[in-house]
Amino acid sequence: MHNRSPLPHRDGVAPSFVVLPEQGDWPDLLTFLLQRFPFLPAGVLQQRLANGEMVNQHGQAVRGDMPYPRGGRLWYYRDVPDEIKVPFEIDILHRDDRLLVVDKPHFLATIPSGRQLRETVVARLRLQFDLPELTPIHRLDRETAGVVMFCLHPPSRGAYQALFQDRLVKKEYEAVAPWRADIQLPQIRHSHIAAGATWFTMQEIDEAPNSHTQIELIRQLPFSQKSDPNPQLALYRLKPHTGRKHQLRVHMAGLGIPIINDPWYPTPMGDKADDFGSPLQLLARSVEFIDPFNGQLRQFGSRRNLILTQT
C-alpha cells in the first residue's frame, strides 16, 4: 500500500486522499467518485479530473473515464471557498529540536477539518516557519484557547503521543461558568460520554463511566451574567483524567453550570457564524510531563486569560 503523498503541502496544508477499495463494482473512476462524494456536483468532480487535480500514488493525473483502479489512494488538494479569517494570532511558548509549543487563540482549529483549512494552527505554523513536517501531538477544540504541543521531528512524535495515550500528561484548564452554592467542590465528575443527538455533540448516558474530570472552584467573580437566571459567575479549575471529545464542556453542563459562551452545551445553537467577541470561556492553562528523551520535567503554561476574569 502506497500511503505517502506524492503531492507537497500547499499553503501549509497537506493534501487529502481517498482510499480506493479493493472490493466494489464501478465501471469507471468517475462513477466511484460520485458515489464517494455525493455532496459534490458531478460537474465539479468532472472539472477537477479534467484539470488533472487528482493524482494516483505515483503522482500521475487520473481521468474520470478510466477503468476503476482497485486499491491504493487518490490524492488531491481540498478547497474551502470563502474561508473566514480568524483575527487572532498564535503565540510561541517554546521551541527546541523536537517540540514546538504554542498558545492557541480561540476560534482557530488545531488541524484542518470541515470549513477550516488554512485557518488552522498547523497550517499557519507550517507556512510561517517553513515546517512542512510539523504535526500535532494532541489537539484542542476549535473554540478552546491555550497550550498545544507540536512535533518538529517526525520519529519522535510517537513517544510524545504515548504520554497522552497513557495519561502521563498532567493537564489543567480554567473555565468561567455560573456559580451555584448547592454544588459541592472540589469533586470528580464520573460519567459515560457517548455520541450525542447531533453529528457534533456528545452526551452523558447511563453506562459505566469512561470519563473523569476533577473540578475545583478557584474563586467567585465580581461579574454577573444578566441573561442567566443564576447570574453569579465563578472561575473553575478543571483537571481531566481522561480525554473524551468535549469532556470538560459535557461535564460542566451536566453539573448544571455550563461554560459561558458555549454554543453547543447544554443546548446546541446550530452551526452559525462565529462571534469573535464572545469566545468560549475555556482555556488550556498548562501541561506537565516527564520528557521521554531526557527524563526532564517539562512544564508549559498559557499566557492568556479568559475575558471575563480580566480587570
Side-chain angles (χ1 to χ4, degrees):
M1 180 70 71
H2 300 276
N3 293 336
R4 187 174 181 83
S5 171
L7 299 175
H9 289 197
R10 186 173 70 179
D11 297 331
V13 180
S16 299
F17 66 85
V18 56
V19 174
L20 301 170
E22 292 281 358
Q23 305 296 323
D25 185 20
W26 300 281
D28 52 43
L29 180 59
L30 179 60
T31 302
F32 164 76
L33 292 174
L34 289 172
Q35 180 178 322
R36 176 63 179 78
F37 300 107
F39 49 86
L40 285 179
V44 172
L45 280 171
Q46 291 172 324
Q47 189 62 55
R48 298 200 68 175
L49 289 164
N51 293 342
E53 297 177 14
M54 301 189 79
V55 303
N56 61 20
Q57 62 265 28
H58 306 295
Q60 301 165 335
V62 295
R63 305 186 320 275
D65 61 355
M66 67 186 297
Y68 172 71
R70 300 180 185 279
R73 300 181 179 189
L74 295 184
W75 298 84
Y76 61 96
Y77 292 110
R78 192 164 66 89
D79 185 37
V80 177
D82 304 321
E83 188 172 1
I84 297 174
K85 173 75 174 179
V86 176
F88 307 115
E89 299 301 320
I90 304 166
D91 295 330
I92 306 301
L93 298 175
H94 172 84
R95 181 174 179 176
D96 58 34
D97 292 339
R98 292 188 173 93
L99 293 177
L100 178 62
V101 186
V102 306
D103 210 352
K104 186 182 91 66
H106 292 99
F107 300 105
L108 198 63
T110 304
I111 62 172
S113 177
R115 292 181 300 179
Q116 291 76 43
L117 188 63
R118 295 172 181 83
E119 285 302 294
T120 60
V121 179
V122 69
R124 283 194 187 182
L125 293 175
R126 284 172 177 166
L127 194 60
Q128 179 180 352
F129 296 108
D130 190 22
L131 296 170
E133 294 188 318
L134 182 75
T135 53
I137 296 171
H138 66 119
R139 306 175 191 177
L140 292 180
D141 293 344
R142 188 176 66 89
E143 296 94 344
T144 304
V147 180
V148 188
M149 294 169 45
F150 292 83
C151 190
L152 295 165
H153 181 240
S156 302
R157 184 188 182 200
Y160 286 113
Q161 285 187 314
L163 296 177
F164 286 88
Q165 294 167 357
D166 297 338
R167 302 177 187 174
L168 298 176
V169 179
K170 294 181 180 179
K171 297 175 287 184
E172 287 194 8
Y173 291 72
E174 292 177 2
V176 175
W179 176 80
R180 282 178 44 181
D182 61 329
I183 297 178
Q184 185 176 357
L185 297 175
Q187 70 164 270
I188 295 181
R189 177 79 173 181
H190 305 271
S191 69
H192 188 103
I193 294 179
T198 73
W199 65 271
F200 183 73
T201 59
M202 306 296 286
Q203 64 180 338
E204 293 178 301
I205 62 175
D206 188 18
E207 292 188 12
N210 64 358
S211 61
H212 312 271
T213 303
Q214 183 171 326
I215 302 172
E216 304 171 2
L217 175 67
I218 297 177
R219 66 178 184 274
Q220 290 180 245
L221 297 174
F223 313 109
S224 62
Q225 189 82 347
K226 295 180 180 179
S227 61
D228 195 288
N230 184 20
Q232 183 65 53
L233 299 177
L235 179 64
Y236 296 89
R237 179 179 295 111
L238 311 177
K239 299 178 181 179
H241 298 288
T242 53
R244 300 292 171 180
K245 177 182 175 181
H246 294 178
Q247 177 175 315
L248 303 181
R249 301 161 71 170
V250 171
H251 279 173
M252 292 294 281
L255 280 174
I257 47 174
I259 299 172
I260 298 300
N261 296 335
D262 194 328
W264 295 99
Y265 301 96
T267 304
M269 291 188 286
D271 193 11
K272 63 179 184 178
D274 291 322
D275 180 357
F276 293 131
S278 300
L280 175 72
Q281 293 299 285
L282 179 61
L283 174 70
R285 172 58 68 192
S286 65
V287 297
E288 178 182 313
F289 58 93
I290 301 297
D291 193 289
F293 293 98
N294 58 27
Q296 295 180 353
L297 176 65
R298 311 296 295 270
Q299 298 171 305
F300 302 109
S302 173
R303 301 180 186 133
R304 301 179 187 273
N305 288 300
L306 295 171
I307 290 177
L308 295 179
T309 65
Q310 297 178 4
T311 57

PDB file of all heavy atoms in Angstrom, residues 176-198:
ATOM      1  N   VAL A 176     -14.843  29.731  32.956  1.00  0.00           N
ATOM      2  CA  VAL A 176     -15.804  30.612  33.623  1.00  0.00           C
ATOM      3  C   VAL A 176     -17.197  30.042  33.397  1.00  0.00           C
ATOM      4  O   VAL A 176     -17.582  29.754  32.260  1.00  0.00           O
ATOM      5  CB  VAL A 176     -15.721  32.053  33.084  1.00  0.00           C
ATOM      6  CG1 VAL A 176     -16.819  32.916  33.708  1.00  0.00           C
ATOM      7  CG2 VAL A 176     -14.356  32.653  33.366  1.00  0.00           C
ATOM      8  N   ALA A 177     -17.921  29.865  34.477  1.00  0.00           N
ATOM      9  CA  ALA A 177     -19.258  29.280  34.416  1.00  0.00           C
ATOM     10  C   ALA A 177     -20.079  29.836  35.579  1.00  0.00           C
ATOM     11  O   ALA A 177     -19.529  30.467  36.496  1.00  0.00           O
ATOM     12  CB  ALA A 177     -19.173  27.751  34.497  1.00  0.00           C
ATOM     13  N   PRO A 178     -21.383  29.603  35.588  1.00  0.00           N
ATOM     14  CA  PRO A 178     -22.197  30.064  36.719  1.00  0.00           C
ATOM     15  C   PRO A 178     -21.721  29.458  38.033  1.00  0.00           C
ATOM     16  O   PRO A 178     -21.209  28.335  38.072  1.00  0.00           O
ATOM     17  CB  PRO A 178     -23.599  29.581  36.359  1.00  0.00           C
ATOM     18  CG  PRO A 178     -23.597  29.477  34.871  1.00  0.00           C
ATOM     19  CD  PRO A 178     -22.214  29.022  34.513  1.00  0.00           C
ATOM     20  N   TRP A 179     -21.906  30.198  39.097  1.00  0.00           N
ATOM     21  CA  TRP A 179     -21.601  29.710  40.454  1.00  0.00           C
ATOM     22  C   TRP A 179     -22.898  29.270  41.107  1.00  0.00           C
ATOM     23  O   TRP A 179     -23.927  29.955  41.026  1.00  0.00           O
ATOM     24  CB  TRP A 179     -20.957  30.791  41.298  1.00  0.00           C
ATOM     25  CG  TRP A 179     -20.717  30.338  42.708  1.00  0.00           C
ATOM     26  CD1 TRP A 179     -19.698  29.569  43.162  1.00  0.00           C
ATOM     27  CD2 TRP A 179     -21.522  30.642  43.857  1.00  0.00           C
ATOM     28  NE1 TRP A 179     -19.799  29.353  44.505  1.00  0.00           N
ATOM     29  CE2 TRP A 179     -20.918  30.002  44.969  1.00  0.00           C
ATOM     30  CE3 TRP A 179     -22.685  31.372  44.067  1.00  0.00           C
ATOM     31  CZ2 TRP A 179     -21.439  30.079  46.254  1.00  0.00           C
ATOM     32  CZ3 TRP A 179     -23.210  31.456  45.340  1.00  0.00           C
ATOM     33  CH2 TRP A 179     -22.584  30.809  46.420  1.00  0.00           C
ATOM     34  N   ARG A 180     -22.837  28.092  41.743  1.00  0.00           N
ATOM     35  CA  ARG A 180     -24.005  27.585  42.465  1.00  0.00           C
ATOM     36  C   ARG A 180     -23.563  27.071  43.823  1.00  0.00           C
ATOM     37  O   ARG A 180     -22.641  26.251  43.935  1.00  0.00           O
ATOM     38  CB  ARG A 180     -24.667  26.457  41.671  1.00  0.00           C
ATOM     39  CG  ARG A 180     -25.511  26.925  40.510  1.00  0.00           C
ATOM     40  CD  ARG A 180     -26.117  25.784  39.721  1.00  0.00           C
ATOM     41  NE  ARG A 180     -26.678  24.740  40.566  1.00  0.00           N
ATOM     42  CZ  ARG A 180     -27.250  23.642  40.081  1.00  0.00           C
ATOM     43  NH1 ARG A 180     -27.326  23.458  38.762  1.00  0.00           N
ATOM     44  NH2 ARG A 180     -27.737  22.731  40.893  1.00  0.00           N
ATOM     45  N   ALA A 181     -24.249  27.557  44.848  1.00  0.00           N
ATOM     46  CA  ALA A 181     -23.892  27.180  46.211  1.00  0.00           C
ATOM     47  C   ALA A 181     -24.220  25.732  46.528  1.00  0.00           C
ATOM     48  O   ALA A 181     -23.651  25.153  47.463  1.00  0.00           O
ATOM     49  CB  ALA A 181     -24.613  28.108  47.202  1.00  0.00           C
ATOM     50  N   ASP A 182     -25.120  25.119  45.753  1.00  0.00           N
ATOM     51  CA  ASP A 182     -25.545  23.754  46.063  1.00  0.00           C
ATOM     52  C   ASP A 182     -24.638  22.687  45.443  1.00  0.00           C
ATOM     53  O   ASP A 182     -24.871  21.497  45.639  1.00  0.00           O
ATOM     54  CB  ASP A 182     -26.986  23.536  45.589  1.00  0.00           C
ATOM     55  CG  ASP A 182     -27.139  23.725  44.085  1.00  0.00           C
ATOM     56  OD1 ASP A 182     -26.390  24.547  43.507  1.00  0.00           O
ATOM     57  OD2 ASP A 182     -27.998  23.071  43.489  1.00  0.00           O
ATOM     58  N   ILE A 183     -23.605  23.098  44.714  1.00  0.00           N
ATOM     59  CA  ILE A 183     -22.670  22.143  44.129  1.00  0.00           C
ATOM     60  C   ILE A 183     -21.431  22.053  45.004  1.00  0.00           C
ATOM     61  O   ILE A 183     -20.737  23.048  45.222  1.00  0.00           O
ATOM     62  CB  ILE A 183     -22.279  22.554  42.692  1.00  0.00           C
ATOM     63  CG1 ILE A 183     -23.510  22.536  41.789  1.00  0.00           C
ATOM     64  CG2 ILE A 183     -21.202  21.613  42.138  1.00  0.00           C
ATOM     65  CD1 ILE A 183     -23.229  22.968  40.368  1.00  0.00           C
ATOM     66  N   GLN A 184     -21.173  20.870  45.520  1.00  0.00           N
ATOM     67  CA  GLN A 184     -20.029  20.680  46.408  1.00  0.00           C
ATOM     68  C   GLN A 184     -18.753  20.507  45.599  1.00  0.00           C
ATOM     69  O   GLN A 184     -18.648  19.633  44.754  1.00  0.00           O
ATOM     70  CB  GLN A 184     -20.243  19.456  47.311  1.00  0.00           C
ATOM     71  CG  GLN A 184     -19.142  19.258  48.344  1.00  0.00           C
ATOM     72  CD  GLN A 184     -19.449  18.106  49.278  1.00  0.00           C
ATOM     73  OE1 GLN A 184     -20.497  17.477  49.198  1.00  0.00           O
ATOM     74  NE2 GLN A 184     -18.524  17.827  50.188  1.00  0.00           N
ATOM     75  N   LEU A 185     -17.777  21.351  45.892  1.00  0.00           N
ATOM     76  CA  LEU A 185     -16.485  21.308  45.212  1.00  0.00           C
ATOM     77  C   LEU A 185     -15.362  21.340  46.242  1.00  0.00           C
ATOM     78  O   LEU A 185     -15.520  21.930  47.308  1.00  0.00           O
ATOM     79  CB  LEU A 185     -16.351  22.501  44.256  1.00  0.00           C
ATOM     80  CG  LEU A 185     -17.355  22.557  43.087  1.00  0.00           C
ATOM     81  CD1 LEU A 185     -17.189  23.838  42.309  1.00  0.00           C
ATOM     82  CD2 LEU A 185     -17.206  21.351  42.173  1.00  0.00           C
ATOM     83  N   PRO A 186     -14.221  20.723  45.926  1.00  0.00           N
ATOM     84  CA  PRO A 186     -13.919  20.007  44.680  1.00  0.00           C
ATOM     85  C   PRO A 186     -14.643  18.674  44.601  1.00  0.00           C
ATOM     86  O   PRO A 186     -15.026  18.094  45.613  1.00  0.00           O
ATOM     87  CB  PRO A 186     -12.406  19.806  44.757  1.00  0.00           C
ATOM     88  CG  PRO A 186     -12.113  19.747  46.224  1.00  0.00           C
ATOM     89  CD  PRO A 186     -13.070  20.714  46.867  1.00  0.00           C
ATOM     90  N   GLN A 187     -14.786  18.194  43.393  1.00  0.00           N
ATOM     91  CA  GLN A 187     -15.380  16.872  43.160  1.00  0.00           C
ATOM     92  C   GLN A 187     -14.834  16.311  41.855  1.00  0.00           C
ATOM     93  O   GLN A 187     -14.297  17.042  41.016  1.00  0.00           O
ATOM     94  CB  GLN A 187     -16.904  16.936  43.099  1.00  0.00           C
ATOM     95  CG  GLN A 187     -17.477  17.629  41.886  1.00  0.00           C
ATOM     96  CD  GLN A 187     -18.960  17.311  41.687  1.00  0.00           C
ATOM     97  OE1 GLN A 187     -19.308  16.351  41.002  1.00  0.00           O
ATOM     98  NE2 GLN A 187     -19.840  18.145  42.294  1.00  0.00           N
ATOM     99  N   ILE A 188     -14.957  14.995  41.687  1.00  0.00           N
ATOM    100  CA  ILE A 188     -14.604  14.351  40.431  1.00  0.00           C
ATOM    101  C   ILE A 188     -15.892  13.921  39.747  1.00  0.00           C
ATOM    102  O   ILE A 188     -16.703  13.206  40.322  1.00  0.00           O
ATOM    103  CB  ILE A 188     -13.676  13.147  40.640  1.00  0.00           C
ATOM    104  CG1 ILE A 188     -12.325  13.602  41.217  1.00  0.00           C
ATOM    105  CG2 ILE A 188     -13.457  12.404  39.326  1.00  0.00           C
ATOM    106  CD1 ILE A 188     -11.338  12.480  41.431  1.00  0.00           C
ATOM    107  N   ARG A 189     -16.063  14.397  38.546  1.00  0.00           N
ATOM    108  CA  ARG A 189     -17.241  14.050  37.751  1.00  0.00           C
ATOM    109  C   ARG A 189     -16.933  12.781  36.964  1.00  0.00           C
ATOM    110  O   ARG A 189     -16.013  12.746  36.146  1.00  0.00           O
ATOM    111  CB  ARG A 189     -17.583  15.189  36.789  1.00  0.00           C
ATOM    112  CG  ARG A 189     -18.770  14.908  35.856  1.00  0.00           C
ATOM    113  CD  ARG A 189     -20.084  15.098  36.564  1.00  0.00           C
ATOM    114  NE  ARG A 189     -21.220  15.003  35.641  1.00  0.00           N
ATOM    115  CZ  ARG A 189     -22.482  15.160  36.024  1.00  0.00           C
ATOM    116  NH1 ARG A 189     -22.760  15.440  37.286  1.00  0.00           N
ATOM    117  NH2 ARG A 189     -23.459  15.065  35.150  1.00  0.00           N
ATOM    118  N   HIS A 190     -17.680  11.723  37.256  1.00  0.00           N
ATOM    119  CA  HIS A 190     -17.561  10.449  36.549  1.00  0.00           C
ATOM    120  C   HIS A 190     -18.810  10.263  35.691  1.00  0.00           C
ATOM    121  O   HIS A 190     -19.918  10.390  36.198  1.00  0.00           O
ATOM    122  CB  HIS A 190     -17.483   9.260  37.508  1.00  0.00           C
ATOM    123  CG  HIS A 190     -16.388   9.350  38.519  1.00  0.00           C
ATOM    124  ND1 HIS A 190     -15.124   8.870  38.288  1.00  0.00           N
ATOM    125  CD2 HIS A 190     -16.369   9.853  39.769  1.00  0.00           C
ATOM    126  CE1 HIS A 190     -14.374   9.069  39.355  1.00  0.00           C
ATOM    127  NE2 HIS A 190     -15.104   9.658  40.275  1.00  0.00           N
ATOM    128  N   SER A 191     -18.633   9.935  34.428  1.00  0.00           N
ATOM    129  CA  SER A 191     -19.800   9.624  33.607  1.00  0.00           C
ATOM    130  C   SER A 191     -19.356   8.911  32.340  1.00  0.00           C
ATOM    131  O   SER A 191     -18.168   8.868  32.011  1.00  0.00           O
ATOM    132  CB  SER A 191     -20.572  10.897  33.242  1.00  0.00           C
ATOM    133  OG  SER A 191     -19.819  11.687  32.335  1.00  0.00           O
ATOM    134  N   HIS A 192     -20.337   8.346  31.646  1.00  0.00           N
ATOM    135  CA  HIS A 192     -20.067   7.706  30.359  1.00  0.00           C
ATOM    136  C   HIS A 192     -20.465   8.684  29.265  1.00  0.00           C
ATOM    137  O   HIS A 192     -21.633   9.045  29.124  1.00  0.00           O
ATOM    138  CB  HIS A 192     -20.859   6.407  30.208  1.00  0.00           C
ATOM    139  CG  HIS A 192     -20.475   5.623  28.996  1.00  0.00           C
ATOM    140  ND1 HIS A 192     -19.666   4.506  29.062  1.00  0.00           N
ATOM    141  CD2 HIS A 192     -20.762   5.812  27.678  1.00  0.00           C
ATOM    142  CE1 HIS A 192     -19.477   4.025  27.845  1.00  0.00           C
ATOM    143  NE2 HIS A 192     -20.141   4.796  26.985  1.00  0.00           N
ATOM    144  N   ILE A 193     -19.477   9.141  28.488  1.00  0.00           N
ATOM    145  CA  ILE A 193     -19.726  10.084  27.404  1.00  0.00           C
ATOM    146  C   ILE A 193     -19.795   9.324  26.091  1.00  0.00           C
ATOM    147  O   ILE A 193     -18.911   8.528  25.763  1.00  0.00           O
ATOM    148  CB  ILE A 193     -18.619  11.160  27.350  1.00  0.00           C
ATOM    149  CG1 ILE A 193     -18.686  12.037  28.620  1.00  0.00           C
ATOM    150  CG2 ILE A 193     -18.769  12.025  26.108  1.00  0.00           C
ATOM    151  CD1 ILE A 193     -17.627  13.115  28.677  1.00  0.00           C
ATOM    152  N   ALA A 194     -20.871   9.573  25.352  1.00  0.00           N
ATOM    153  CA  ALA A 194     -21.078   8.907  24.063  1.00  0.00           C
ATOM    154  C   ALA A 194     -21.568   9.936  23.052  1.00  0.00           C
ATOM    155  O   ALA A 194     -21.830  11.094  23.394  1.00  0.00           O
ATOM    156  CB  ALA A 194     -22.112   7.782  24.222  1.00  0.00           C
ATOM    157  N   ALA A 195     -21.680   9.519  21.791  1.00  0.00           N
ATOM    158  CA  ALA A 195     -22.146  10.411  20.740  1.00  0.00           C
ATOM    159  C   ALA A 195     -23.534  10.948  21.083  1.00  0.00           C
ATOM    160  O   ALA A 195     -24.385  10.236  21.614  1.00  0.00           O
ATOM    161  CB  ALA A 195     -22.174   9.682  19.398  1.00  0.00           C
ATOM    162  N   GLY A 196     -23.736  12.226  20.769  1.00  0.00           N
ATOM    163  CA  GLY A 196     -24.990  12.876  21.094  1.00  0.00           C
ATOM    164  C   GLY A 196     -26.011  12.798  19.978  1.00  0.00           C
ATOM    165  O   GLY A 196     -25.882  12.030  19.020  1.00  0.00           O
ATOM    166  N   ALA A 197     -27.022  13.650  20.091  1.00  0.00           N
ATOM    167  CA  ALA A 197     -28.138  13.621  19.148  1.00  0.00           C
ATOM    168  C   ALA A 197     -27.783  14.243  17.800  1.00  0.00           C
ATOM    169  O   ALA A 197     -28.414  13.954  16.788  1.00  0.00           O
ATOM    170  CB  ALA A 197     -29.344  14.343  19.749  1.00  0.00           C
ATOM    171  N   THR A 198     -26.769  15.119  17.777  1.00  0.00           N
ATOM    172  CA  THR A 198     -26.339  15.731  16.529  1.00  0.00           C
ATOM    173  C   THR A 198     -24.998  15.150  16.115  1.00  0.00           C
ATOM    174  O   THR A 198     -24.323  14.468  16.893  1.00  0.00           O
ATOM    175  CB  THR A 198     -26.215  17.257  16.671  1.00  0.00           C
ATOM    176  OG1 THR A 198     -25.050  17.571  17.459  1.00  0.00           O
ATOM    177  CG2 THR A 198     -27.439  17.845  17.357  1.00  0.00           C
TER     178      THR A 198
END
